[in-house]
């Protein structure tokens, strides 16, 4: 069964001057994770706001858990959880205060709301900070509390808008862990992100959007094959790169490309980290000195380049009949 | 029923904020007390010949000005919630559409009760002596409270359309100050130019001040509008104004809230 269905959603801002969603369609199978991948201004937040009933689309049709978001927004609100792009909690109150308040607004009794707050604070490793004002929280803690607030009623469908943007690597890993736990419990999740890596890590399916339209759809492997997957890149000290190139091709069974000037050798790999280790060993045995050694994963930019032939860019204004596009900063 | 319960949870949140940041409550009460003292001792000598002294006419003026400030406070509070994205979160919850805005007006109303009590005591200490009896005095305070509450709804609307808490607070004062000074609150309107007298005496702030003076047992003096509606029936006129303000801003606010968005 499809938990989320969006059909031909069109949404404009400023009386039609900005086209944010341009006939976008997608669906999410119950109990799975769909990642909506797109650059700044692609329409991710707009899509999440339409599906979570905060915004009415100009046209198109959408259901969440089988309920129409336009005809019965209240019905939808009863089964969803939403954690927006920026943490939306009361900063003067404590984490505990916030969760109890939201619990009561979900019509839990006082006791049930307090119990749920305790559970969630423990689940999200916030128990120690429970009675501190949110103002004193780090960015990662804020995001976790925001996520906790969206889980109070154990929603059937969860929307997360860029849950790790702005977090440091550790915060991002923690957030991924939390999200993976939720997915294991069976929640249907639609998550937006600008990072291919994140979509890869968390999602069953990935939809790539740009300028409010879906430009690619598939599993992470399908997309990566399309883009070209991981590459090992090595810069050697020796002016003669041939011995190194031979070793690399032998170890990786791949066709290397060589930049003689930079003394850089690059080769596609399937099992990145393992291969990298094997290459280092082989180099060590042969006494070859590598100046730089890296595993390159395809980025969103690579995806865009291979899907659209251009780097991601931001739509500035759409006037009837003509489109102006500006380069992304 | 659930709508009321949801609104009260929002009100409770506001009170909880006051316990977490007590400075807010301290300064919202210190400011009106300061006004009482300043006006009392700077202008106190002005109303020569008024029985009981100028302070008798002055206190209702300060009461009304202070509750009129609620407009700015409500607007700022709501705009802050918009800025922080809290309104988005509230709108994604299965609660009554009116809950968040009703809850905030009630919270600001409760705050006004505290403010009025403190100001009343301060006024008493500096010589304000209402002469009308307990019932009428209570009625006077009730009307002041209701006046602030109705303006709170204008503040809700301002907060919803603005996207910047500081801007909306400043803009609100741009309306409140002329209204309170082009009125009978601090000086009699009789000395103003004629055209201004008409404006000043029909001004809702003036009718409220006149109503409060009447309920506290003093008589307001009128100029060119001496036998007009606001001079004959300041209480009724004020009530009509309040109902009118709410009649305009409640539907506007609830409708606006439906599509409110933090960006
Ligand atoms: N309230 C608004 N008024 C006018 N234009 C808007 C508004 N909100 C979004 N837009 C425009 O609509 C387009 C889509 O915006 P949206 O916020 O959905 O993108 P996004 O994918 O979430 O971007 P980001 O990664 O920066 O969060 C952008 O061009 C944006 O400038
Ligand atoms: Mg966004």
């Amino acid at each position: 069964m499809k938990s989320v269905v969006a059909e031909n959603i069109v949404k404009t801002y400023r009386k039609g001057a900005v086209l944010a969603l341009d006939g976008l369609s997608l669906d999410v199978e119950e109990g799975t994770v769909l990642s909506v991948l797109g650059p700044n201004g692609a329409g991710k937040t707009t899509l999440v706001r339409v599906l979570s009933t905060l915004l009415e689309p100009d046209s198109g049709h959408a259901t969440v858990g089988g309920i129409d978001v336009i005809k019965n927004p209240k019905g939808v609100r009863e089964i969803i959880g939403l954690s927006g792009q920026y943490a939306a909690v009361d900063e003067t109150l404590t984490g505990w205060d916030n969760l109890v308040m939201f619990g009561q607004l979900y019509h839990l009794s006082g006791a049930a709301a307090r119990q749920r707050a305790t559970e969630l604070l423990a689940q999200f490793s916030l128990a120690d900070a429970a009675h501190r004002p949110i103002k004193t929280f780090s960015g990662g803690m804020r995001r976790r509390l925001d996520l906790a607030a969206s889980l109070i009623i154990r929603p059937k469908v969860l929307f997360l808008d860029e849950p790790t943007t702005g977090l440091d690597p550790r915060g991002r890993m923690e957030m991924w862990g939390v999200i993976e736990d939720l997915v294991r419990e069976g929640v249907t999740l639609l998550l937006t992100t600008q990072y291919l890596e994140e979509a890869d890590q968390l999602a069953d399916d990935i939809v790539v959007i740009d300028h409010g339209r879906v430009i690619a759809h598939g599993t992470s492997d399908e997309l990566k094959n399309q883009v070209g997957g991981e590459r090992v890149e090595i810069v050697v000290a020796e002016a003669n790169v041939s011995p190194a190139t031979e070793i690399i091709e032998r170890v990786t069974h791949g066709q290397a490309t060589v930049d003689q000037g930079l003394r850089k050798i690059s080769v596609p790999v399937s099992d990145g980290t393992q291969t990298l280790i094997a290459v280092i060993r082989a180099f060590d045995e042969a006494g070859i000195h590598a100046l730089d050694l890296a595993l390159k994963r395809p980025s969103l930019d690579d995806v865009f380049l291979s899907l659209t032939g251009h780097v991601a860019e931001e739509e500035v204004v759409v006037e009837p009949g003509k489109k102006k596009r500006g380069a992304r900063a | 029923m659930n709508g009321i319960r949801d609104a009260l949870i929002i009100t409770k949140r506001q009170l909880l904020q006051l316990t977490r940041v007590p400075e807010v409550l301290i300064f919202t009460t210190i400011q009106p007390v300061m006004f009482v003292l300043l006006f009392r001792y700077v202008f106190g000598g002005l109303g020569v010949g008024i029985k009981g002294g100028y302070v008798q006419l002055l206190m209702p003026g300060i009461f009304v000005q202070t509750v009129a400030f609620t407009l700015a406070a409500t607007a700022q509070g709501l705009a802050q919630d918009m800025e922080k994205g809290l309104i988005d979160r509230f709108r994604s919850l299965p609660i009554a559409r009116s809950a968040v805005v009703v809850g905030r007006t009630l919270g600001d109303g409760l705050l006004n009760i505290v403010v009025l009590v403190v100001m009343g005591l301060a006024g008493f200490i500096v010589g304000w002596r209402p002469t009308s009896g307990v019932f009428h005095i209570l009625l006077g305070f009730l009307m002041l409270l209701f006046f602030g509450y109705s303006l709170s709804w204008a503040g809700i609307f301002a907060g919803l359309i603005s996207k910047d808490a500081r801007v909306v607070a400043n803009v609100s004062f741009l309306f409140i100050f002329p209204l309170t000074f082009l009125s009978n609150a601090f000086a009699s309107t009789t000395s103003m130019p004629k055209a201004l007298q008409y404006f000043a005496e029909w001004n809702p702030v003036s009718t409220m001040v006149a109503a409060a003076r009447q309920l506290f047992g003093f008589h307001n003096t009128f100029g060119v509008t001496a036998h007009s509606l606001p001079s004959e029936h300041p209480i009724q006129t004020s009530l009509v104004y309040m109902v009118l303000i709410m009649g305009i801003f409640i539907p506007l606010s609830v409708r606006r809230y439906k599509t409110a968005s933090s960006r």
Side-chain angles (χ1 to χ4, degrees), chain A residues 64-270:
Chain A
V64 173
I67 306 168
D68 191 305
V69 296
I70 299 159
K71 295 200 190 98
N72 185 8
K74 203 160 177 209
V76 172
R77 287 175 203 146
E78 274 162 12
I79 60 160
I80 62 165
L82 166 67
S83 179
Q85 188 166 354
Y86 306 98
V89 284
D90 189 328
E91 304 219 323
T92 50
L93 299 185
T94 66
W96 163 265
D97 292 338
N98 268 286
L99 292 182
V100 172
M101 169 182 70
F102 288 122
Q104 289 180 331
L105 286 172
Y106 275 114
H107 302 139
L108 299 182
S109 70
R114 284 190 291 275
Q115 194 198 330
R116 188 75 184 127
T118 310
E119 278 170 25
L120 284 167
L121 287 164
Q123 185 182 343
F124 289 88
S125 324
L126 291 167
D128 292 339
H131 297 288
R132 266 166 44 190
I134 306 289
K135 270 186 288 208
T136 67
F137 278 26
S138 72
M141 292 164 76
R142 248 174 242 234
R143 283 305 317 219
R144 293 210 300 279
L145 186 80
D146 193 71
L147 181 55
S150 64
L151 294 173
I152 286 168
I153 49 157
R154 297 185 175 83
K156 286 198 186 120
V157 180
L158 184 61
F159 297 102
L160 302 182
D161 193 7
E162 298 195 27
T164 66
T165 300
L167 299 190
D168 62 15
R170 183 167 148 237
R172 175 164 303 162
M173 296 304 255
E174 282 174 355
M175 191 51 112
W176 283 359
V178 164
I179 293 172
E180 278 165 346
D181 287 343
L182 291 173
V183 171
R184 225 167 286 132
E185 286 165 26
V187 70
T188 304
L189 172 62
L190 186 150
L191 142 134
T192 76
T193 180
Q194 301 190 31
Y195 309 110
L196 185 59
E197 197 188 348
E198 180 162 296
D200 186 19
Q201 173 87 15
L202 299 172
D204 299 303
D205 278 303
I206 300 175
V207 161
V208 185
I209 69 169
D210 188 27
H211 302 305
R213 281 184 303 270
V214 174
I215 59 169
H217 181 193
T219 63
S220 133
D221 284 340
E222 285 166 359
L223 280 175
K224 279 208 289 202
N225 285 339
Q226 215 169 329
V227 179
E230 294 172 328
R231 306 178 69 79
V232 165
E233 279 183 12
I234 295 163
V235 179
V236 290
E238 288 84 358
N240 179 7
V241 297
S242 312
T245 312
E246 266 166 41
I247 292 174
I248 289 173
E249 292 194 327
R250 179 164 49 77
V251 174
T252 62
H253 312 290
Q255 175 74 48
T257 42
V258 180
D259 185 325
Q260 191 72 52
L262 294 173
R263 297 199 286 251
K264 187 164 92 179
I265 310 158
S266 164
V267 64
V269 294
S270 51

Side-chain angles (χ1 to χ4, degrees), chain A residues 44-46 85 161-162, chain B residues 263:
Chain A
K44 302 181 296 294
T45 298
T46 307
Q85 188 166 354
D161 193 7
E162 298 195 27
Chain B
R263 293 188 313 145

Side-chain angles (χ1 to χ4, degrees), chain B residues 18-76:
Chain B
L18 291 179
T19 68
R20 299 284 181 237
V21 195
E23 293 88 337
V24 175
L25 184 60
I26 294 171
F27 287 108
T28 22
T29 46
I30 282 184
Q31 188 192 322
V33 169
M34 182 193 75
F35 269 115
V36 170
L37 297 178
L38 281 179
F39 277 95
R40 167 68 182 85
Y41 292 109
V42 177
F43 303 117
L46 286 179
V48 198
I50 296 168
K51 196 163 147 267
Y54 183 52
V55 67
Q56 311 307 331
L57 292 185
L58 192 60
M59 280 309 294
I62 304 177
F63 283 139
V64 174
Q65 184 188 49
T66 305
V67 293
F69 287 166
T70 320
L71 193 160
T74 307
Q76 187 173 15

Side-chain angles (χ1 to χ4, degrees), chain B residues 97-118:
Chain B
R97 223 158 44 212
S98 58
V100 172
V101 285
V102 171
R104 177 162 290 278
T105 58
L106 290 178
D108 287 332
L110 286 178
L111 201 57
N112 267 344
I113 295 183
V114 178
V115 168
L116 283 174
V117 168
V118 172

